[in-house]
Amino acid sequence: MNHDRYDDTYIRAILSEVRTIAIVGASANAARPSYFVMKYLSERGYRVFPVNPGQAGKTVAGLTFVATLADVPEPIDMVDVFRAPEHVPAVVDEVLKLDPLPKVLWTQLGVRNDEAAAKAEAAGLKVVMNRCPKIEYGRLSGEIGWTGVNSRTISSRKPLRLGEGVQRLSIAPRGPKSS
Amino acid sequence: MTDETSAPPREPGFSTLAIHAGAQPDPTTGARATPIYQTTSFVFDDVDHAAALFGLQTFGNIYSRITNPTNAVLEERVAALEGGTAALAVASGHAAQHLVFHTLLTPGDEFIASRKLYGGSINQFNHAFKSFGWNVVWADPDDISSFEKAVTPKTKAIFTESIANPGGVVTDIAAISAVAKKAGVPLIVDNTLATPYLWQPIRHGADIVVHSATKFLGGHGNSIGGVIVDAGTFDWSATDRYPFLSKPRPEYSGMVLHETFGNFAFAIAARVLGLRDLGPALSPFNAFLILTGIETLGLRMQRHSENALKVAEYLAAHPKVEWVSYPGLASDRYHALAQQYLPKGAGAVFTFGLKGGYEAGVKLVSNVELFSHLANIGDTRSLIIHPASTTHRQLTDEAKVVAGAGPEVVRLSVGIEDVADIIGDLDQALAKV
């Protein structure tokens, strides 16, 4: 598929369907995007497993690092990759050895490797590249508008609050529930 | 899978965005119009949430100097209308320029600016910015090669207006963008006079757009405000020349903003390294008034441009008028550029010269009755000013002429009243000149 742009429906379906996310290249450093993306996704209700051999066994923000994807203790729905483009093929090889196979391969802002993506797609995975799931979640829920970012969505329906706090919104379908 | 909330299959049109972009019903009350969040501060969900907000790790509100939900609707709306990735609303157009240059320049750096600008910008660049060590190098928008010649290793940005105030100068944005790209610096375009309804500079290569929202965006002469739009097009990490964006920031525990925020990193940097620390925040009440104005931006700009063309035609035929500088006139030197960049109209602001010189200008502004003699532009009301005795008074005589504000020059901002009344007022006042 074309990876230059993605329809909102494609991104929204992925972020609505996946529940378990493994983050390859996650950091324990709070100033790194790979740290706060995992924390943000965890706070939005996803089960998040940070993967980084240098941090294995360490628990940060309530999340325990594992060394490799194979060490994640439950089936993974989505693998989010914080590694430079040249390292993506090796990650894909690891992903394709998992049983059951994950449904989605996602690579972060600035990370794109079309060859590795094609290999994952051939195995039946959906692929998103050069995007951040935190930014996409915030864009589709409406949260990102609080920061003046163009969400490229318009809606006459009320955004949905998520959880008990006042400053969290959900990407769940809005408006009256269909019967 | 069916998805009730999926994006529409086509991009919404300008007037739909002008009414809806950024404004969803309020998630707590269901209020449909954008509420005025007239509050300094916002409660945190818990201590961890507070820490995440202060560390830029999650989206949300802390304090209205940094973000405010009313201002955020204005920001998203202008970003959408300009075709940018994000925007930042600030206290005035001058504050917008201050924050843009603060994000890009360090002391000793240079930027190139068109010499045909709003007089207030010429003053800001020549005097206030010099005291920060940001050195302006002037170039001529009628001679694109002058921009190329002005580039030095210290150049960090190029600045121009789309339609220049006061003279109705139409700038060849695509040509200047080519110079900026070759020099590896961002192009900043002040789009105040055109508004995104008439012209979207990002489509022609602008990397950053600034507005005095005080003018046509608000449109009713009731609120001062400014907006910065990030086009999301410039690669801040290609060199180490823009350390606010490409280097770890000590203000945020070593975070790298471009890496973290991607194609809206400039808007974030202007907010968290500029607005947060320098402080020119926009009042939420002003943001509300400007938002209300933007809902009718397309309708107003159509009428402004139609009226202005008729007034320009009237003046061009008047025996006491020496010249009219309106790019909508077929005889105008900028008409070809206007046809290229401004097919929907050439805007409302232009100048004309009186045969009677300085004295005639003073007499004209003293005798109008419908026109208001004041220093603003972009109001529903028709406005008139004699720049040589007011807005451009502080410039030298030579600089006045270069800026299009010579002694005989009168500037109009044609309003959206009935055009017969506008022309009637000029007619009676010109009779007394």
Side-chain angles (χ1 to χ4, degrees):
Chain A
M1 73 175 272
N2 174 12
H3 292 285
D4 293 331
R5 67 174 301 279
Y6 301 104
D7 283 342
D8 286 354
T9 47
Y10 179 70
I11 300 285
R12 189 187 293 273
I14 287 173
L15 291 176
S16 302
E17 282 166 7
V18 305
R19 301 269 34 106
T20 312
I21 303 175
I23 299 188
V24 175
S27 173
N29 175 353
R32 302 295 304 155
S34 58
Y35 168 87
F36 54 79
V37 167
M38 75 178 183
K39 186 161 176 282
Y40 178 92
L41 293 174
S42 167
E43 288 167 358
R44 295 300 174 285
Y46 298 100
R47 287 181 60 73
V48 176
F49 294 93
V51 179
N52 184 334
Q55 305 289 339
K58 197 168 176 178
T59 298
V60 177
L63 304 170
T64 302
F65 282 78
V66 296
T68 68
L69 281 170
D71 297 331
V72 173
E74 49 190 270
I76 302 166
D77 294 330
M78 173 168 128
V79 176
D80 181 19
V81 184
F82 277 90
R83 301 294 309 276
E86 62 270 25
H87 298 301
V88 176
V91 176
V92 169
D93 288 343
E94 263 193 80
V95 168
L96 296 183
K97 284 182 198 147
L98 295 170
D99 183 20
L101 272 182
K103 300 184 184 83
V104 180
L105 174 75
W106 188 304
T107 69
Q108 281 293 135
L109 275 181
V111 183
R112 178 166 174 170
N113 185 317
D114 286 10
E115 216 173 299
K119 199 169 171 184
E121 284 173 326
L125 276 72
K126 290 183 184 170
V127 175
V128 177
M129 293 189 288
N130 191 25
R131 293 286 186 282
C132 172
K134 176 194 165 198
I135 289 172
E136 294 303 307
Y137 192 103
R139 194 171 69 75
L140 295 171
S141 71
E143 281 183 5
I144 207 167
W146 292 332
T147 314
V149 174
N150 183 3
S151 67
R152 292 180 282 112
T153 61
I154 59 175
S155 174
S156 61
R157 296 183 182 187
K158 201 168 75 162
L160 296 176
R161 289 164 60 195
L162 180 72
E164 292 177 1
V166 291
Q167 295 205 34
R168 279 178 201 153
L169 300 176
S170 166
I171 60 165
R174 298 178 186 181
K177 289 200 170 60
S178 48
S179 51
Chain B
M1 172 184 163
T2 58
D3 186 341
E4 289 179 64
T5 58
S6 61
R10 57 178 291 280
E11 297 291 318
F14 186 90
S15 291
T16 304
L17 290 174
I19 291 166
H20 290 281
Q24 303 174 348
D26 185 73
T28 51
T29 63
R32 189 61 189 96
T34 297
I36 304 168
Y37 288 94
Q38 193 70 28
T39 180
T40 58
S41 318
F42 302 84
V43 293
F44 306 118
D45 289 346
D46 50 48
V47 173
D48 188 47
H49 177 233
L53 283 172
F54 276 100
L56 299 185
Q57 296 171 3
T58 192
F59 309 111
N61 298 294
I62 300 173
Y63 193 62
S64 286
R65 193 181 69 242
I66 308 166
T67 62
N68 174 281
T70 310
N71 296 19
V73 176
L74 172 62
E75 290 162 349
E76 184 171 352
R77 185 161 308 168
V78 179
L81 293 175
E82 287 286 7
T85 53
L88 175 63
V90 294
S92 68
H94 261 33
Q97 290 173 184
H98 183 188
L99 294 191
V100 165
F101 284 101
H102 175 259
T103 307
L104 298 176
L105 272 60
T106 49
D109 285 341
E110 290 176 0
F111 67 101
I112 302 167
S114 162
R115 64 172 77 251
K116 292 197 172 152
L117 297 182
Y118 161 53
S121 293
I122 294 173
N123 281 331
Q124 185 187 43
F125 295 174
N126 267 341
H127 304 295
F129 281 9
K130 287 239 164 100
S131 72
F132 296 140
W134 306 338
N135 299 311
V136 62
V137 179
W138 297 106
D140 180 358
D142 297 329
D143 173 13
I144 301 298
S145 72
S146 69
F147 283 83
E148 217 159 347
K149 285 178 199 140
V151 174
T152 78
K154 291 180 177 176
T155 306
K156 285 284 188 71
I158 298 179
F159 181 97
T160 185
E161 292 175 358
S162 50
I163 304 177
N165 178 8
V169 175
V170 181
T171 310
D172 190 347
I173 297 290
I176 296 179
S177 165
V179 176
K181 283 193 168 59
K182 195 173 159 200
V185 301
L187 173 63
I188 306 156
V189 175
D190 180 340
N191 199 32
T192 299
L193 263 66
T195 82
Y197 177 76
L198 296 177
W199 192 349
Q200 292 169 308
I202 289 172
R203 289 181 188 272
H204 301 105
D207 300 295
I208 297 162
V209 171
V210 292
H211 276 278
S212 168
T214 311
K215 312 301 188 311
F216 295 99
L217 292 184
H220 294 71
N222 57 25
S223 306
I224 302 282
V227 181
I228 300 164
V229 181
D230 184 350
T233 46
F234 195 80
D235 182 359
W236 305 106
S237 303
T239 68
D240 57 4
R241 306 187 71 219
Y242 302 97
F244 270 33
L245 289 129
S246 67
K247 296 287 175 199
R249 295 311 306 176
E251 299 91 332
Y252 288 99
S253 318
M255 182 183 282
V256 179
L257 295 181
H258 188 209
E259 169 194 58
T260 305
F261 296 103
N263 67 1
F264 55 91
F266 182 83
I268 297 287
R271 182 188 303 277
V272 303
L273 303 177
L275 182 60
R276 185 194 76 157
D277 292 349
L278 299 173
L282 178 68
S283 152
F285 185 63
N286 280 18
F288 172 81
L289 291 170
I290 294 165
L291 268 173
T292 304
I294 288 176
E295 293 187 7
T296 57
L297 181 62
L299 291 171
R300 285 186 290 107
M301 292 313 293
Q302 277 173 23
R303 176 64 73 87
H304 275 300
S305 295
E306 285 166 19
N307 282 0
L309 180 59
K310 286 176 188 157
V311 172
E313 284 166 348
Y314 159 79
L315 288 169
H318 197 284
K320 291 184 182 173
V321 172
E322 182 148 15
W323 53 263
V324 178
S325 171
Y326 184 63
L329 292 174
S331 58
D332 193 83
R333 67 177 294 195
Y334 296 106
H335 189 63
L337 281 172
Q339 285 186 306
Q340 179 186 344
Y341 289 116
L342 297 159
K344 288 192 277 192
V349 178
F350 67 92
T351 53
F352 62 98
L354 288 164
K355 288 178 180 162
Y358 189 94
E359 289 308 315
V362 170
K363 267 193 186 162
L364 179 65
V365 298
S366 305
N367 282 291
V368 286
E369 288 178 5
L370 181 68
F371 274 82
S372 303
H373 178 213
L374 53 73
N376 194 28
I377 55 171
D379 194 323
T380 50
R381 284 156 277 266
S382 289
L383 312 175
I384 190 167
I385 201 162
H386 180 224
S389 60
T390 54
T391 51
H392 288 64
R393 189 186 185 89
Q394 281 128 356
L395 302 185
T396 63
D397 286 349
E398 192 198 354
K400 281 185 187 116
V401 173
V402 169
E408 82 287 12
V409 177
V410 173
R411 181 187 75 188
L412 300 183
S413 174
V414 177
I416 58 175
E417 303 100 331
D418 289 286
V419 71
D421 296 326
I422 298 170
I423 291 172
D425 189 40
L426 287 172
D427 205 51
Q428 66 79 23
L430 280 167
K432 293 170 185 156
V433 165

